[in-house]
């Protein structure tokens, strides 16, 4: 009798527990925060349109930074081969100079001594030449020994070498050996600019003694400036010589400067990047060497998985799309996006399930508003 009474009770209790479990599962499913369900009226007002992820060619933009540089041949350090005292100069940083313009005057007693040595050597060469010719004639007639003739020849040849070397030294300091004479000896020399450009540095003052290794001035010719960009190793394969790019400074981002890749470095730094040199198509005098610039390069097109831009919503700093789940239900799914072009945005590395899904391509923000109103 007792078995008959307790067995139905056990069945009733098990049935009640099973019912609670089913109800709990339905509740959890119903309160999914990423799911939104629209009524027929809401669906009509939202003008929802759906579609699948497609494949299109998307041009990506590679963003780089670097600074304006000047080729070594357009930068000149001015020094004095023999040293001396700076007597005069008018140079100031930023001043323009022409090629061949006298930019400083250096004086020293060694310049006087060098000119004296040259004039003395040139004056003695006449005597040594005559003595050489006389001994040559005497030697041919056997009136003079070979030793005396060879000595005369050696002195004459040595004097020729001495004159040539002194003339080159004079040329090195800017004095024309043919222009000096006993009455025209100068204690100073002029320093001339080898290029046309601007003064970037002035390292001396009047009256200072400068050694041959000391740099007096630094000049730069900015007409051939170029942009040196830093490119990471992974992006080097995307670039090629002659590739076009657009550059701009941080101060004037709206002012664009067109350029082209001139040289791609093949030596990686410790940070795994290389220098890429770009030449500006039009010289702009407002661009100063050392200025930091940004660059944008359109790299080659590639196939990408895309959705229309209207399919992507931005919420709390993230990007989402709405996937159709059936029964007027839509699930908000976070995605990673890439480049955008012609109204389409790249969906990065979608899996096979994502590729096969159907998504809202129009009216996505209406779904977002419906979710926010529901949450409130």
């Amino acid at each position: 009798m007792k078995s008959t009474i307790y067995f139905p009770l056990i069945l009733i209790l098990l049935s009640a527990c099973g019912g609670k479990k089913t109800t709990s599962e339905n509740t959890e499913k119903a309160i999914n925060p990423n799911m939104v369900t629209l009524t027929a009226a809401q669906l009509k007002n939202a003008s929802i349109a759906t579609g699948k992820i497609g494949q299109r060619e998307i041009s990506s933009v590679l963003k780089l930074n670097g600074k304006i540089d000047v080729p070594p041949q357009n930068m000149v350090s001015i020094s004095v081969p023999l040293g001396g005292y700076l007597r005069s100069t008018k140079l100031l940083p930023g001043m323009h100079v022409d090629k061949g313009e006298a930019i400083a005057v250096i004086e020293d007693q060694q310049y006087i001594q060098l000119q004296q040595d040259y004039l003395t050597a040139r004056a003695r060469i006449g005597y040594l030449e005559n003595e050489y010719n006389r001994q040559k004639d005497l030697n041919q007639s056997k009136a003079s020994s070979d030793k005396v003739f060879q000595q005369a020849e050696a002195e004459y040849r040595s004097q020729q070498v001495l004159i040539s070397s002194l003339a080159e030294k004079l040329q090195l300091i800017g004095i024309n050996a043919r222009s000096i004479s006993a009455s025209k000896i100068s204690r100073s020399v002029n320093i001339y600019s080898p290029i046309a450009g601007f003064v970037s540095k002035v390292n001396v003052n009047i009256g200072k003694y400068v050694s041959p290794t000391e740099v007096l001035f630094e000049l730069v010719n900015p007409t051939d400036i170029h942009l040196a960009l830093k490119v990471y190793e992974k992006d080097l394969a995307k670039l090629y010589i002659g590739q076009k790019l657009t550059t701009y400074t941080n101060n004037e981002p709206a002012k664009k400067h067109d350029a082209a890749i001139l040289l791609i470095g093949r030596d990686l730094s410790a940070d795994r990047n290389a220098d890429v040199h770009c030449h500006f198509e039009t010289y702009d005098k407002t661009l100063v060497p050392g200025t930091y610039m940004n660059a944008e390069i359109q790299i080659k097109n590639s196939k990408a998985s895309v959705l229309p831009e209207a399919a992507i919503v931005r919420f709390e700093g993230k990007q989402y799309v709405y996937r159709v789940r059936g029964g007027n239900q839509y699930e908000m799914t976070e995605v990673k996006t890439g480049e955008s072009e012609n109204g389409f945005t790249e969906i990065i590395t979608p899996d096979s399930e994502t590729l096969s899904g159907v998504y809202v391509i129009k009216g996505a923000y209406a779904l977002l508003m419906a979710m926010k109103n529901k949450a409130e």
Side-chain angles (χ1 to χ4, degrees):
M1 186 67 176
K2 290 183 179 179
S3 300
T4 305
I5 294 173
Y6 289 115
F7 183 74
L9 290 175
I10 293 171
L11 289 176
I12 293 170
L13 290 173
L14 290 174
S15 176
C17 291
K20 289 181 180 180
K21 183 177 180 181
T22 304
T23 304
S24 176
E25 289 177 352
N26 291 336
T27 303
E28 290 178 0
K29 184 176 181 181
I31 62 172
N32 184 350
N34 294 326
M35 193 75 72
V36 59
T37 303
L38 298 184
T39 64
Q42 289 176 323
L43 186 63
K44 182 179 179 180
N45 293 331
S47 301
I48 299 293
T50 61
K52 291 187 175 183
I53 290 179
Q55 297 290 317
R56 292 177 65 94
E57 286 190 346
I58 297 289
S59 297
S60 59
V61 177
L62 181 62
K63 296 184 178 181
L64 304 169
N65 55 70
K67 67 177 181 178
I68 298 176
D69 202 358
V70 180
Q73 61 269 25
N74 283 37
M75 298 182 65
V76 179
S77 297
I78 306 296
S79 58
V80 184
L82 297 183
Y85 294 91
L86 180 64
R87 191 175 75 180
S88 66
T89 184
K90 296 181 179 179
L91 294 191
L92 292 173
M95 183 180 293
H96 181 270
V97 294
D98 296 319
K99 184 177 181 179
E101 178 183 348
I103 57 177
V105 178
I106 302 291
E107 64 179 13
D108 197 81
Q109 63 178 1
Q110 62 182 322
Y111 302 142
I112 300 174
Q113 185 64 50
L114 186 57
Q115 294 170 81
Q116 176 186 339
D117 294 342
Y118 174 77
L119 292 175
T120 301
R122 195 171 67 178
R124 193 166 185 268
I125 191 68
Y127 164 75
L128 293 176
E129 183 179 9
N130 291 335
E131 181 64 15
Y132 164 69
N133 291 330
R134 188 169 70 86
Q135 292 297 332
K136 183 179 180 180
D137 293 339
L138 291 173
N139 184 258
Q140 288 177 350
S141 61
K142 302 301 180 181
S144 175
S145 65
D146 291 342
K147 180 179 178 181
V148 174
F149 167 68
Q150 291 171 356
Q151 184 177 358
E153 182 181 18
E155 291 180 355
Y156 172 60
R157 302 299 183 195
S158 298
Q159 196 70 8
Q160 285 181 318
V161 173
L162 178 61
I163 291 174
S164 296
S165 64
L166 290 173
E168 288 298 321
K169 288 183 179 180
L170 290 171
Q171 189 68 32
L172 188 64
I173 62 175
I175 297 178
N176 187 353
R178 297 181 179 180
S179 66
I180 64 174
S181 62
S183 60
K184 292 178 64 177
I185 295 179
S186 175
R187 66 179 181 180
S188 62
V189 295
N190 292 332
I191 305 299
Y192 299 95
S193 173
I195 63 170
F198 294 88
V199 181
S200 59
K201 290 183 181 179
V202 177
N203 301 322
V204 293
N205 55 271
I206 294 176
K208 180 180 179 181
Y209 180 83
V210 292
S211 63
T213 59
E214 190 170 354
V215 176
L216 282 68
F217 315 104
E218 291 186 11
L219 309 179
V220 58
N221 179 5
T223 58
D224 194 29
I225 58 176
H226 66 262
L227 178 60
L229 298 173
K230 296 292 184 182
V231 182
Y232 284 105
E233 179 183 7
K234 64 182 180 65
D235 296 322
L236 283 175
K238 303 175 184 177
L239 307 180
Y240 57 90
I241 303 298
Q243 192 171 12
K244 304 295 182 181
L245 62 148
T246 302
T247 67
Y248 55 92
T249 63
N250 292 328
N251 294 331
E252 294 182 287
K255 187 176 181 181
K256 308 297 183 181
H257 305 272
D258 294 329
I261 294 179
L262 183 66
L263 180 66
I264 299 176
R266 300 300 177 186
D267 184 22
L268 295 176
S269 67
D271 297 328
R272 309 304 296 172
N273 58 46
D275 289 329
V276 173
H277 298 277
C278 309
H279 188 269
F280 292 101
E281 295 187 354
T282 304
Y283 169 64
D284 189 339
K285 63 181 181 181
T286 62
L287 296 178
V288 180
T291 301
Y292 285 94
M293 296 194 76
N294 303 304
E296 295 181 354
I297 305 177
Q298 293 278 347
I299 63 175
K300 294 180 179 180
N301 295 341
S302 59
K303 284 284 187 179
S305 300
V306 299
L307 279 175
E309 291 180 356
I312 302 168
V313 296
R314 291 164 178 80
F315 180 62
E316 294 182 346
K318 297 180 180 180
Q319 296 174 311
Y320 300 90
V321 294
Y322 281 93
R323 187 170 183 175
V324 179
R325 289 301 186 183
N328 296 344
Q329 289 188 324
Y330 307 91
E331 183 180 8
M332 187 170 71
T333 306
E334 184 181 356
V335 293
K336 300 294 183 182
T337 61
E339 301 294 332
S340 297
E341 185 179 39
N342 299 327
F344 290 87
T345 298
E346 178 184 7
I347 306 299
I348 298 177
T349 59
D351 53 30
S352 58
E353 182 184 357
T354 304
L355 282 173
S356 61
V358 179
Y359 297 89
V360 174
I361 60 175
K362 181 182 178 182
Y365 271 100
L367 293 176
L368 178 64
M369 295 302 297
M371 289 187 66
K372 291 178 66 178
N373 292 335
K374 180 182 176 181
E376 292 173 359

